[in-house]
Amino acid sequence: MNIETINNAIQSQKEVLLQHSLYKKVQTMEDLHLFLENHVYAVWDFMSLLKALQSKLTCTTTPWYPTSNTQTRYLINEIVVAEESDLTLDGRRQSHFEMYLEAMQDCGANTSEIEAFLANLSSLNNIFVAIKTSNLHPKIKAFLEFTFRVIEEGKAHEIAAAFTFGREDLIPSMFTAILKNFQANFPETDLKKLIYYFERHIELDADEHGPMAMGMISELCGTDSKKWSEVEQISIIALEKRIGLWDAIEEQLSLTMETA
């Protein structure tokens, strides 16, 4: 097996995501707010996948020792730098999650729920309890639970699969579709920080992080057929959970329309 085999195996799930009806339903500022207020959890938990990979593939403890695979070490550190401390529109350093929160606030979306979730998580110090006791849509809970189960299992190639095929590989295409929708529907609204966030992801993921992540998968799996098989399984589930996240947002938009 190889990267091409995995891409063929997940093609149907990718098509569902790329052609999802959610994109066309984000038509008003209220719709946009609802989208952002739900999607922000995927922006946040992505950082945990990233840091789990860094923990697995580089040395983050002392005393420091060189890890075995220098190429993979480089790949993950490069991605961490950009995701955790990228340049904002006005030249500051922020994580992409913090950039997303600022973009939400700038366009009037509510950040209090994600902030309360993180405060509760900090108090509980148990991600699974925090997810279970939250008021999130069941499919968003399932999305988050899957992410942290993969992290908890601790297999580097499976974490890399969720990161690469469930996220990085899809982001350019998905965010391009979303961005075009925003620009068409909100031409008079100041969405410059949000647009910058999406365009930054398109630029990084298409040109740099996507290819880097593919290289990381190849390095981690090598010629081990069992690892490749596990990467395929995790990638399919990751995409199905992502479809569930999109379904959850669409369901909430439909409820809003019915009560309007």
Side-chain angles (χ1 to χ4, degrees):
M1 294 180 75
N2 54 30
I3 295 294
E4 185 179 356
T5 309
I6 303 298
N7 277 326
N8 289 335
I10 62 176
Q11 188 58 39
S12 61
Q13 286 85 3
K14 287 175 71 173
E15 287 299 319
V16 171
L17 274 170
L18 297 175
Q19 298 174 17
H20 202 287
S21 52
L22 168 65
Y23 305 128
K24 293 180 180 178
K25 293 188 178 177
V26 182
Q27 297 180 351
T28 67
M29 282 304 297
E30 289 74 19
D31 296 341
L32 174 58
H33 291 166
L34 191 149
F35 173 86
L36 298 175
E37 289 159 13
N38 285 276
H39 178 245
V40 69
Y41 291 92
V43 178
W44 170 73
D45 84 329
F46 172 81
M47 297 302 296
S48 290
L49 281 171
L50 176 62
K51 299 305 283 186
L53 280 173
Q54 188 180 35
S55 177
K56 291 285 177 187
L57 304 176
T58 74
C59 183
T60 58
T61 57
T62 57
W64 178 87
Y65 298 97
T67 50
S68 59
N69 194 310
T70 57
Q71 181 64 16
T72 301
R73 186 198 312 162
Y74 169 77
L75 291 173
I76 199 64
N77 280 334
E78 278 289 297
I79 295 172
V80 167
V81 169
E83 294 288 347
E84 200 168 34
S85 49
D86 202 5
L87 278 173
T88 63
L89 187 60
D90 56 3
R92 291 171 294 128
R93 290 286 178 184
Q94 279 188 334
S95 69
H96 284 185
F97 172 70
E98 291 164 311
M99 288 167 61
Y100 198 88
L101 284 183
E102 278 197 2
M104 287 177 67
Q105 291 162 351
D106 262 25
C107 73
N110 184 3
T111 60
S112 63
E113 288 192 15
I114 179 66
E115 288 164 352
F117 175 85
L118 294 180
N120 189 43
L121 172 57
S122 179
S123 174
L124 291 168
N125 199 30
N126 185 312
I127 182 61
F128 299 105
V129 174
I131 295 168
K132 185 176 181 180
T133 57
S134 72
N135 293 321
L136 292 169
H137 189 287
K139 291 179 181 176
I140 298 178
K141 288 184 178 184
F143 175 85
L144 292 173
E145 284 168 354
F146 169 75
T147 295
F148 287 97
R149 290 293 176 199
V150 171
I151 290 171
E152 187 178 55
E153 289 295 316
K155 293 182 180 180
H157 61 285
E158 291 187 348
I159 299 170
F163 178 91
T164 301
F165 295 104
R167 306 298 183 89
E168 289 291 274
D169 186 39
L170 283 170
I171 284 170
S173 298
M174 285 200 305
F175 282 7
T176 299
I178 294 169
L179 184 57
K180 286 179 180 177
N181 193 39
F182 288 164
Q183 289 174 320
N185 287 319
F186 313 114
E188 306 302 320
T189 306
D190 183 5
L191 296 171
K192 61 179 179 293
K193 284 188 179 179
L194 188 61
I195 289 171
Y196 175 80
Y197 170 86
F198 284 133
E199 288 182 336
R200 187 67 180 138
H201 259 289
I202 292 166
E203 176 188 358
L204 282 173
D205 294 332
D207 297 340
E208 298 176 34
H209 294 180
M212 282 183 177
M214 293 297 180
M216 177 172 56
I217 292 283
S218 295
E219 289 286 341
L220 288 171
C221 292
T223 58
D224 189 324
S225 59
K226 184 175 186 294
K227 286 184 177 180
W228 279 109
S229 179
E230 289 172 342
V231 162
E232 180 180 319
Q233 292 168 24
I234 288 293
S235 300
I236 290 170
I237 299 170
L239 292 176
E240 288 173 349
K241 296 300 180 185
R242 186 68 179 235
I243 293 166
L245 173 68
W246 265 201
D247 290 344
I249 299 174
E250 186 173 31
E251 285 171 28
Q252 291 176 77
L253 282 173
S254 297
L255 284 174
T256 304
M257 291 174 189
E258 288 172 10
T259 56

